[in-house]
């Protein structure tokens, strides 16, 4: 049963940085970030302590959903550069012992993709079954999610926006009377699956190190127990293990136990799916009813247990088989700094970067980039747009992002002083230096690393703080996190003789932990096992 190959070695120490390419660094003055810009910042990312990158989609696209609407999976979008530039990025990253993971939009294409254009024609052709079509255009009245409007007498199923028709990987169960739903082993779904493998092989051969799979759980339809989708990804995993054993699969699933059993190496705990991550930081732009208050609440009204119970369940189910990824944020949600201060972000990052699993830093979170409210939607961003503004490198023109006139920038920069890399490099107390120091500790102490043991020591709704133990064969490290504005004191016998490794407004006196508001402490304690 557990005859699965060992995890790729590099994951043991992986720390990811997520790049939204259009907003990272523009090198040709067109106002849009590009691949040469990423290459030129590899040394910076390496110096930060990151050794792996995830790029949001960089392929040819009409950009109705920021590139998640791919029109050619084999070609880099000209605005980012060329395929040769992407290969150069792989090579330059590898030279620094860094990895690059591409975004694989497996569930859908753009409606401008040639496959879809062919599929939408009336006459049968080799792409007719690449997408999910009903057998009559009138079906739309019974199922409003199905969309008409093409030469073909049928409605297609979108996967996300209407411009993103769902690829046909088949149905796990066919509903009575709906013969247009095809089983997973029908010729159409099988052809689509082999196209997916061809795309993956193409980029792996070009030098990429794996994929973050977009909406990974969405491929198989009418699959309530997930049997179909698990079988699909397990098949891909088997093929990868044979032909590309180092390739890493990261899922946007939000259910690590399920995703890792299906063959992924990493899955994100996110703000959707299981609600637990919301209960950690709740950075919704448009909070959902009942989303609850996050633990990172300056007034201390959250409850870490809601996050933790769920986290521990997934962690126990996946330990040694894959990793939970905790992201500092991503391109789909409000940044942590949405109506929160830099001091609060610092404490959040201290927790994130001392937890087990693989951390992901969303570009700009290391300098406390703020969420921008009130921007007009860009490329299908809607409420996500304020999370996608340019990275800020200097205090100069366009914050060093681009030489284009400000009006031509992908999105406006932020005028907040100090929120740029240059300013923070020069300030030893900056957030940037804290992130670097935390990642250095994570590297130096295996107990704090991706595989170290984890055990909550103090995790109650009240009083804060949240205190946990990380452990490896020869080390025991206590991490204390106080995200609320009130100071906290806590007696913990274990802390007697503790040695601070990093602390911000927190200390140990005797066996008492003393924490100011918005503080954290990381303490080495005696390695003796109990
Ligand atoms: C994922 C992406 C998101 C995109 C959607 C459709 O959730 O993260 O940005 O809009 O899938 O591809
Ligand atoms: Ca550019």
């Amino acid at each position: 049963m557990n005859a699965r190959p060992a995890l790729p070695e590099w994951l043991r120490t992986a720390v990811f940085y997520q790049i939204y390419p259009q907003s990272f660094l523009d090198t040709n003055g067109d106002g849009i970030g590009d691949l040469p810009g990423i290459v030129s910042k590899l040394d910076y990312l390496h110096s930060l302590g990151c050794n792996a990158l995830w790029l949001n989609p960089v392929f040819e696209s009409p950009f109705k959903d920021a590139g998640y609407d791919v029109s050619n999976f084999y070609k880099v979008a000209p605005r980012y550069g060329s395929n040769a530039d992407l290969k150069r990025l792989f090579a330059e990253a590898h030279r620094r012992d860094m990895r690059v993971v591409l975004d694989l939009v497996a569930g859908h294409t753009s409606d401008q993709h040639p496959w879809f254009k062919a599929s939408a024609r009336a006459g049968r052709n080799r792409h007719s079954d690449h997408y999910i079509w009903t057998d009559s255009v009138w079906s739309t009245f019974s199922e409003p999610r199905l969309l008409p409007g093409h030469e073909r007498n049928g409605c297609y199923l979108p996967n996300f926006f209407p411009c993103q028709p769902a690829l046909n990987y088949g149905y796990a169960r066919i509903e009575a009377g709906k013969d247009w739903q095809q089983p997973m082993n029908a010729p159409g779904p099988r052809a689509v699956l082999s196209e997916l493998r061809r795309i993956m092989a193409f980029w792996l051969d070009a030098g990429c190190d794996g994929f973050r799979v977009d909406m990974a759980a969405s491929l198989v339809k009418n699959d309530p127990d997930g049997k179909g989708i698990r079988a699909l990804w397990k098949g891909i995993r088997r093929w990868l293990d044979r032909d590309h054993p180092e390739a890493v699969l990261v899922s946007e699933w939000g259910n690590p136990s399920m995703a890792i059993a299906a063959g992924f190496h990493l899955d994100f705990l996110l703000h959707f799916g299981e609600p637990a991550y919301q209960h950690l930081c709740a950075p919704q732009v448009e909070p959902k009813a009942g989303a609850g208050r996050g633990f990172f609440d300056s007034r201390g009204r959250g409850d870490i247990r809601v996050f933790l119970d769920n986290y521990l369940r997934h962690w126990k189910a996946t330990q040694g088989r894959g990793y939970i990824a905790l992201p500092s944020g991503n391109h789909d949600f409000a940044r942590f700094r949405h109506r929160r201060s830099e001091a609060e972000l610092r404490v959040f990052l201290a927790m994130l970067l001392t937890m087990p699993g693989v951390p992901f830093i969303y570009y700009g979170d290391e300098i406390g980039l703020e969420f921008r409210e009130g921007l007009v939607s860009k490329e299908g961003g809607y409420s996500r747009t304020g999370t996608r503004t340019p990275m800020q490198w200097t205090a100069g023109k366009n914050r060093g992002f681009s030489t284009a006139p400000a009006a031509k920038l992908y999105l406006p920069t932020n005028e907040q002083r100090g929120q740029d890399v240059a300013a923070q490099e020069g300030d030893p107390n900056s957030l940037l230096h804290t992130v670097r120091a935390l990642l250095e500790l994570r590297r130096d102490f295996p107990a704090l690393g991706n595989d170290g043991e984890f055990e909550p020591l103090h995790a109650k709704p009240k009083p804060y703080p949240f205190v946990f133990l990380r452990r490896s064969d020869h080390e025991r490290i206590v991490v204390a996190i106080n995200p609320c504005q009130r100071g906290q004191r806590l007696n913990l016998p274990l802390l007697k003789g503790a040695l601070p490794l990093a602390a911000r407004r927190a200390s140990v006196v005797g066996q008492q932990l003393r924490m100011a508001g918005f503080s954290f402490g990381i303490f080495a304690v005696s390695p003796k096992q109990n």
Side-chain angles (χ1 to χ4, degrees), residues 65 68 108 160 164 212 214-215 252 331-332 384 388:
D65 184 17
Y68 282 95
H108 48 269
F160 197 70
Q164 291 158 310
R212 173 268 189 188
D214 184 63
M215 293 176 65
E252 184 198 34
H331 60 292
D332 289 332
R384 308 174 292 183
R388 302 175 173 186

Side-chain angles (χ1 to χ4, degrees), residues 21-22 25-37 78-81 401-402:
Q22 42 277 63
L25 180 65
D26 170 26
T27 57
N28 64 352
D30 65 356
I32 298 183
D34 43 52
L35 293 171
R79 73 186 203 180
Y80 298 135
F401 163 67
S402 167

Side-chain angles (χ1 to χ4, degrees), residues 84-394:
D85 288 323
L86 187 51
K87 286 189 193 165
R88 192 163 73 86
L89 170 59
F90 299 149
E92 288 293 325
H94 294 161
R95 222 159 57 75
R96 294 165 175 84
D97 213 12
M98 298 170 79
R99 317 283 164 150
V100 183
V101 161
L102 297 176
D103 214 313
L104 183 69
V105 187
H108 48 269
T109 67
S110 159
D111 59 0
Q112 300 305 305
H113 194 292
W115 296 343
F116 186 72
K117 289 187 178 169
S119 190
R121 278 190 214 118
R124 284 282 309 167
N125 59 67
R126 56 184 285 255
H127 296 112
S128 295
D129 291 336
H130 267 45
Y131 298 84
I132 298 172
W133 291 91
T134 64
D135 47 12
S136 152
V137 77
W138 308 114
S139 329
T140 186
F141 298 114
S142 53
E143 282 184 56
R145 241 183 85 66
L146 297 170
L147 302 176
H150 292 271
E151 184 184 277
R152 178 173 176 160
N153 179 19
C155 300
Y156 71 91
L157 181 74
N159 216 29
F160 197 70
F161 290 143
C163 66
Q164 291 158 310
L167 283 163
N168 182 18
Y169 292 91
Y171 280 68
R173 294 186 203 164
I174 314 286
E175 290 167 86
K178 295 192 178 166
D179 291 346
W180 49 268
Q181 299 182 346
Q182 302 180 352
M184 290 173 69
N185 61 4
R190 282 174 43 194
V192 171
L193 194 57
S194 56
E195 293 287 7
L196 182 69
R197 279 164 50 157
R198 195 173 312 152
I199 294 162
M200 294 171 82
F202 178 83
W203 289 112
L204 288 167
D205 290 342
C208 94
D209 298 287
F211 303 94
R212 173 268 189 188
V213 180
D214 184 63
M215 293 176 65
S218 77
L219 274 46
V220 176
K221 306 304 178 195
N222 202 15
D223 183 27
D225 56 9
K227 242 195 193 140
I229 190 68
R230 280 202 301 276
L232 185 148
W233 285 116
K234 274 187 189 161
I236 292 189
R237 181 76 254 163
R238 273 195 301 277
W239 159 67
L240 284 176
D241 284 340
R242 200 184 58 227
D243 292 1
H244 302 274
E246 285 294 293
V248 158
L249 283 184
V250 183
S251 50
E252 184 198 34
W253 196 314
N255 187 338
S257 316
M258 182 90 127
I260 287 163
F264 284 89
H265 297 106
L266 265 82
D267 183 40
F268 292 104
L269 274 189
L270 284 169
H271 313 74
F272 61 81
E274 306 209 24
Y277 201 73
Q278 289 175 21
H279 286 272
L280 187 62
C281 54
Q284 298 281 2
V285 194
E286 294 158 8
K288 293 192 186 66
R293 215 183 284 285
F295 171 66
F296 280 81
D297 175 62
S298 62
R299 291 165 67 188
R301 295 164 297 183
D303 178 357
I304 188 68
R305 293 269 16 147
V306 187
F307 164 76
L308 205 57
D309 290 348
N310 181 63
Y311 179 87
L312 284 170
R313 187 165 60 78
H314 285 295
W315 182 66
K316 284 177 186 147
T318 58
Q319 209 188 357
R321 309 163 48 108
Y323 295 98
I324 298 176
L326 289 181
S328 70
N330 76 20
H331 60 292
D332 289 332
F333 303 96
R335 283 187 185 270
F336 187 88
R337 285 214 62 195
H338 177 43
R339 304 182 189 166
R340 283 200 189 94
S341 66
E342 188 189 271
E344 291 175 271
L345 175 58
R346 200 184 295 257
V347 180
F348 177 62
L349 290 170
M351 174 172 158
L352 198 84
L353 302 180
T354 52
M355 290 282 284
V358 178
F360 277 64
I361 297 175
Y362 183 52
Y363 83 97
D365 280 347
E366 78 276 24
I367 53 166
L369 211 60
E370 282 177 41
F371 177 79
R372 284 284 303 262
E373 294 192 60
L375 292 178
V376 173
S377 176
K378 180 82 175 181
E379 297 186 345
Y382 301 99
S383 59
R384 308 174 292 183
T385 304
T387 272
R388 302 175 173 186
T389 58
M391 179 62 180
Q392 309 201 143
W393 300 102
T394 68

